[in-house]
């Protein structure tokens, strides 16, 4: 009986062992730590199987292994039996399988996962997500480029899974997405507490050419350069430094983009409130040139108050010159207020108005008829431009160069730089024009005709016989007597009846100093003589004939 009972028990145990499930290779199984020796943990995974795992596989990145005899752990079963007759097991692979299951669920639910950066690779970093290794691109580390990622290494922190492929074993994560989300939440909270017009303290975080970014406690606002001060600010660094705490006013909040516009000058008194009272029209003031453009120069009258001197108001004489040739930046200048537009915050200034009009000064010092001397500045097809005092020019027209010949021919006798003398013939201050005459310097005509007036009888000498009349000369001044003026008798109006060298008595009909011409007439002399004879010796009304009157007159002359 005993023997039969033992056989039945043995068969039952044998059958039980055959019926017992053997774990599948490539799966995760539970085990118990039996012992720790030589840096390894001996683990019983049941099924009368044991295996060994290096203790370091139980350690989290940057931490010491936390394992002790009796601990229950999950391991990955590679093979049921290896060359040593033990099960081939792995904690890393078990953790990886656990992690992938967990991460896939988090990815599907768009949840954050915890991990630690533990290595650097090309283009980014490696992250341990509790057993699974993920890739963190360099662009996804922070909202701004990170120069030194050292302080982030081994630090447990949240990540967002961007992409994962279990078959290929690829996971891509982002730390930046988490930061942006938290920043957005923080911004929304800070912006929710701000109102337009509110004065707040902020720290200058960054300075650019166009302004500065000010941290208001988790959210940045832009302080534009034009809102820093009422005066012109060319470079924000003139008045701000990074890290400085400044008081600013919230000018505008864009609820959609969360952009905040800030201002500093809004917290200061606006100097424009008293501009109209302080700067009366036509008053003069000292100012400083702050900026020069193609169309003029800006002059600061006081901090926050600038006016424009238009290029047309800069100089009386320099018309087509760049403003930079007349004034320079930071130069102190005297200007006159020409116009004020308080609504547009504009002041029009004049630079030339603080100096006397040079044409007025010239007219006072150089009346018509005065002789002047100047340098030929330019030669044109219609005359010469002569440099005068105070950088102004006078013009000698072609017709005022010479008495003899054509003005066009006389131009060839002049060169730039020549010194010439001329007479002032006209000054037009309004048109800024001065007319000069070189030929008026020749006073021989005035000397020759001194005392000669219209109606005078003078003796001239015939110098030339022409078809249309005769040319005569009086004291060096030449004139022309037309055919119709040679006699009151049409039959005697023949030039050929005169000869060169003949002396003739003629009547002066005109004295034109401008053209240096005398108007002469033999006919006018004869008519004048006849009229005088009639007045002296009776009239035709008394019955006396013209012949009688002339005869009596001639007798009187003879006696």
């Amino acid at each position: 009986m005993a023997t039969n009972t033992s056989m039945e028990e043995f068969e039952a145990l044998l059958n039980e062992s055959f019926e017992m499930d053997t774990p599948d290779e490539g799966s995760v199984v539970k085990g118990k730590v039996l012992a720790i020796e030589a840096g390894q943990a001996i683990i019983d995974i049941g099924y009368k199987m044991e295996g060994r795992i290096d203790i370091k596989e139980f350690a989290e990145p940057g931490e010491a292994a936390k394992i002790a005899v009796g601990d229950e752990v999950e391991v990955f079963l590679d093979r049921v039996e290896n060359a040593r007759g033990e099960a081939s097991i792995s904690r890393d692979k078990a953790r990886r399988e656990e992690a992938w299951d967990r991460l896939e669920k988090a990815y599907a639910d768009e949840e954050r996962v915890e991990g630690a950066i533990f290595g650097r690779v090309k283009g980014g970093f490696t992250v341990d997500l509790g057993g699974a290794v993920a890739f963190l691109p360099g662009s996804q580390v922070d909202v701004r480029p990170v120069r030194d990622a050292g302080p982030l290494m081994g630090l447990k922190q949240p990540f967002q899974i961007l992409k994962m492929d279990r078959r290929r074993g690829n996971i891509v994560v982002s730390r930046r997405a988490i930061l942006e989300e938290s920043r957005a939440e923080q911004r929304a909270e800070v912006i929710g507490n701000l109102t337009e017009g509110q004065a707040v303290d902020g720290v200058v975080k960054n300075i650019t050419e166009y302004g500065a970014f000010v941290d208001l406690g988790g959210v940045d606002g832009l302080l534009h350069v034009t809102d820093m001060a009422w005066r012109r600010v060319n470079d924000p660094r003139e008045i701000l430094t990074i890290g400085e705490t400044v008081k600013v006013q919230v000018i505008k909040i864009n609820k959609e983009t969360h952009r905040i516009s800030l201002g500093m000058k809004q917290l200061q008194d606006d100097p424009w409130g008293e501009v109209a009272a302080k700067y009366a029209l036509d008053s003069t003031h000292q100012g400083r040139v702050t900026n020069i453009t193609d169309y003029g120069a800006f002059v600061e009258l006081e901090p926050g108050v600038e006016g424009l001197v238009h290029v047309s108001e800069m100089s009386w004489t320099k018309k087509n010159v760049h403003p930079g040739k007349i004034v320079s930046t930071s130069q102190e200048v005297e200007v006159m207020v020409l116009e004020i537009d308080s609504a547009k915050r504009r002041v029009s200034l004049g630079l030339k108005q603080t100096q006397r009009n040079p044409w007025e000064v010239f007219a006072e010092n150089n009346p018509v008829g005065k002789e002047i001397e100047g340098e030929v500045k330019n030669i044109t097809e219609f005359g010469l431009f002569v440099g005068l005092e105070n950088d102004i020019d006078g013009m000698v027209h072609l017709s005022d160069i010479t008495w003899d010949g054509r003005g066009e021919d006389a131009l060839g006798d002049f060169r730039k730089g020549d010194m010439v003398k001329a007479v002032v013939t006209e000054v037009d201050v309004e048109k800024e024009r001065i007319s000069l005459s070189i030929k008026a310097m020749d006073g021989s005509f005035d000397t020759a005709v001194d005392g000669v007036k219209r109606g005078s009888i003078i003796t001239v000498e015939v110098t030339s016989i022409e078809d249309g009349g005769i040319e005569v000369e009086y004291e060096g001044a030449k004139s022309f007597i037309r055919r119709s003026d040679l006699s009151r008798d049409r039959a005697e109006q023949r030039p050929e009846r005169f000869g060169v060298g003949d002396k003739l008595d003629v009547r002066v009909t005109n004295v034109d100093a401008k053209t240096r011409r005398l108007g002469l007439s033999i006919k006018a002399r004869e008519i004048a003589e006849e009229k005088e004879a009639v007045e002296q010796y009776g009239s035709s009304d008394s019955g006396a004939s013209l012949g009688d009157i002339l005869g009596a007159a001639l007798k009187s002359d003879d006696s």
Side-chain angles (χ1 to χ4, degrees):
M1 285 293 289
T3 305
N4 289 337
T5 302
S6 298
M7 288 295 294
E8 288 173 2
E9 289 177 354
F10 177 76
E11 287 177 6
L13 290 170
L14 186 62
N15 290 335
E16 185 182 343
S17 68
F18 281 130
E19 291 170 3
M20 187 181 297
D21 290 335
T22 301
D24 296 330
E25 292 181 344
S27 64
V28 176
V29 296
K30 288 187 176 181
K32 189 174 184 180
V33 179
L34 297 179
I36 296 174
E37 56 184 40
Q40 292 184 323
I42 301 171
I43 299 172
D44 177 9
I45 60 173
Y47 316 102
K48 298 185 179 179
M49 287 188 287
E50 296 176 357
R52 294 170 182 266
I53 298 177
D54 289 340
I55 291 176
K56 63 183 180 181
E57 289 192 31
F58 292 91
E60 296 292 335
E63 298 180 8
K66 296 177 182 177
I67 188 169
V69 174
D71 288 351
E72 286 194 355
V73 294
E74 287 188 340
V75 295
F76 185 85
L77 178 61
D78 268 334
R79 290 193 307 279
V80 172
E81 189 174 357
N82 59 16
R84 297 167 61 182
E86 297 176 338
S88 178
I89 58 177
S90 167
R91 174 58 186 160
D92 284 343
K93 290 183 178 180
R95 290 174 70 237
R96 191 176 303 124
E97 291 298 314
E98 287 174 17
W100 272 96
D101 292 339
R102 175 172 49 81
L103 295 174
E104 282 181 334
K105 184 177 184 305
Y107 182 51
D109 296 340
E110 296 183 355
E111 294 179 349
R112 301 177 181 181
V113 295
E114 193 174 69
I117 302 171
F118 69 90
R120 188 188 297 272
V121 293
K122 185 178 181 181
F125 303 88
T126 50
V127 179
D128 183 353
L129 299 178
V133 177
F135 174 61
L136 172 65
S139 62
Q140 296 297 322
V141 176
D142 207 325
V143 290
R144 291 189 179 90
V146 176
R147 293 183 180 179
D148 181 17
L152 300 175
M153 302 290 277
L155 186 67
K156 282 192 176 182
Q157 53 194 312
F159 293 89
Q160 188 78 39
I161 300 175
L162 301 181
K163 185 171 65 175
M164 65 186 301
D165 184 339
R166 188 162 190 167
R167 186 172 59 85
R168 295 184 177 181
N170 290 338
I171 305 176
V172 180
V173 295
S174 170
R175 177 175 176 269
R176 175 179 176 174
I178 304 294
L179 296 176
E180 287 180 341
E181 188 177 331
S182 61
R183 276 170 61 91
E185 292 172 359
Q186 189 177 15
R187 284 173 67 90
E189 183 182 350
V190 174
I191 291 173
N193 295 327
L194 293 175
T195 57
E196 292 182 0
Q198 180 182 357
V200 294
D201 288 330
V203 177
V204 179
K205 196 172 183 180
N206 191 26
I207 298 177
T208 68
E209 292 179 2
Y210 53 86
F213 288 94
V214 179
D215 185 354
L216 303 178
V219 60
D220 291 348
L222 174 62
L223 174 61
H224 196 269
V225 64
T226 57
D227 287 309
M228 290 183 178
W230 290 109
R231 67 179 179 85
R232 180 190 295 271
V233 178
N234 293 317
D235 186 347
R237 293 172 182 82
E238 294 175 10
I239 56 178
L240 293 176
T241 56
I242 292 177
E244 177 186 1
T245 299
V246 292
K247 186 171 283 297
V248 291
Q249 186 181 76
V250 179
I251 299 175
K252 187 177 181 182
I253 301 174
N254 189 318
K255 299 294 184 182
E256 295 179 1
T257 62
H258 286 182
R259 288 184 178 174
I260 302 173
S261 298
L262 305 173
M264 285 174 63
K265 72 180 185 183
Q266 287 76 5
L267 298 174
Q268 304 162 3
D269 291 335
D270 184 355
W272 271 89
E274 301 178 1
V275 166
K278 290 178 66 175
Y279 301 97
L281 295 181
D282 298 331
S283 61
T284 57
H285 305 271
Q286 286 292 122
R288 181 177 64 88
V289 178
T290 56
N291 194 28
I292 297 174
T293 68
D294 291 339
Y295 53 85
F298 288 91
V299 175
E300 183 183 64
L301 299 175
E302 65 175 82
V305 180
E306 274 187 348
L308 172 66
V309 180
H310 192 267
V311 64
S312 61
E313 307 294 350
M314 301 201 78
S315 171
W316 289 108
T317 55
K318 298 173 182 176
K319 303 293 185 184
N320 298 313
V321 177
H322 190 276
K325 299 285 186 181
I326 301 174
V327 295
S328 56
T329 305
S330 299
Q331 180 183 346
E332 294 287 334
V333 293
E334 186 179 21
V335 290
M336 178 180 286
V337 178
L338 305 181
E339 184 182 354
I340 294 178
D341 188 335
S342 297
K344 294 183 179 178
R345 306 171 69 89
R346 290 178 181 170
V347 179
S348 295
L349 303 172
L351 190 64
K352 70 182 184 182
Q353 286 81 357
T354 60
Q355 303 153 2
R356 286 202 64 194
N357 184 332
W359 281 272
E360 284 183 359
V361 176
F362 184 87
E364 290 177 8
N365 298 334
N366 301 278
V368 172
K370 183 177 179 180
E371 294 182 8
I372 58 93
E373 185 176 13
E375 180 184 340
V376 176
K377 295 290 187 181
N378 198 17
I379 301 174
T380 69
E381 58 184 13
F382 49 83
L384 306 170
F385 284 93
V386 179
L388 304 173
E389 60 194 39
N390 296 323
D391 289 330
I392 61 176
D393 291 342
M395 191 186 81
V396 182
H397 193 268
L398 284 176
S399 60
D400 285 308
I401 294 178
T402 180
W403 292 109
D404 304 317
R406 298 168 66 244
E408 290 87 341
D409 299 333
L411 267 182
D413 298 332
F414 296 91
R415 297 287 182 273
K416 276 188 182 181
D418 287 354
M419 296 300 292
V420 295
K421 291 183 179 181
V423 173
V424 178
T425 56
E426 184 186 7
V427 179
D428 190 329
V429 174
E430 189 174 332
K431 293 182 179 178
E432 300 180 348
R433 185 182 299 161
I434 298 172
S435 298
L436 306 173
S437 174
I438 293 176
K439 71 181 185 181
M441 291 294 296
D442 181 1
S444 59
F445 177 79
D446 296 330
T447 303
V449 300
D450 186 31
V452 176
K453 300 177 182 177
R454 186 176 179 182
S456 299
I457 304 296
I458 60 174
T459 301
V460 299
E461 182 178 341
V462 178
T463 56
S464 176
I465 310 297
E466 309 290 344
D467 289 341
I470 62 175
E471 185 184 67
V472 298
E473 183 181 278
Y474 175 73
E475 298 292 339
K478 291 188 176 183
S479 296
F480 190 78
I481 304 175
R482 293 173 299 175
R483 179 188 283 269
S484 60
D485 283 313
L486 292 178
S487 175
R488 65 192 302 276
D489 185 353
R490 291 181 65 85
E492 297 298 317
Q493 292 176 350
R494 293 177 290 108
E496 58 270 18
R497 75 185 182 91
F498 299 96
V500 174
D502 288 355
K503 299 281 198 297
L504 305 174
D505 286 343
V506 295
R507 183 181 175 91
V508 179
T509 57
N510 187 39
V511 179
D512 191 340
K514 192 169 185 180
T515 60
R516 289 171 57 103
R517 291 285 177 182
L518 287 174
L520 304 176
S521 173
I522 298 173
K523 175 182 177 180
R525 189 209 76 205
E526 291 173 346
I527 292 173
E529 287 176 348
E530 177 184 327
K531 182 179 178 184
E532 185 181 351
V534 169
E535 288 176 351
Q536 287 187 15
Y537 299 99
S539 72
S540 55
D541 293 341
S542 64
S545 68
L546 182 59
D548 295 336
I549 295 170
L550 289 175
L554 290 172
K555 274 185 183 179
S556 175
D557 288 344
D558 290 342
S559 61

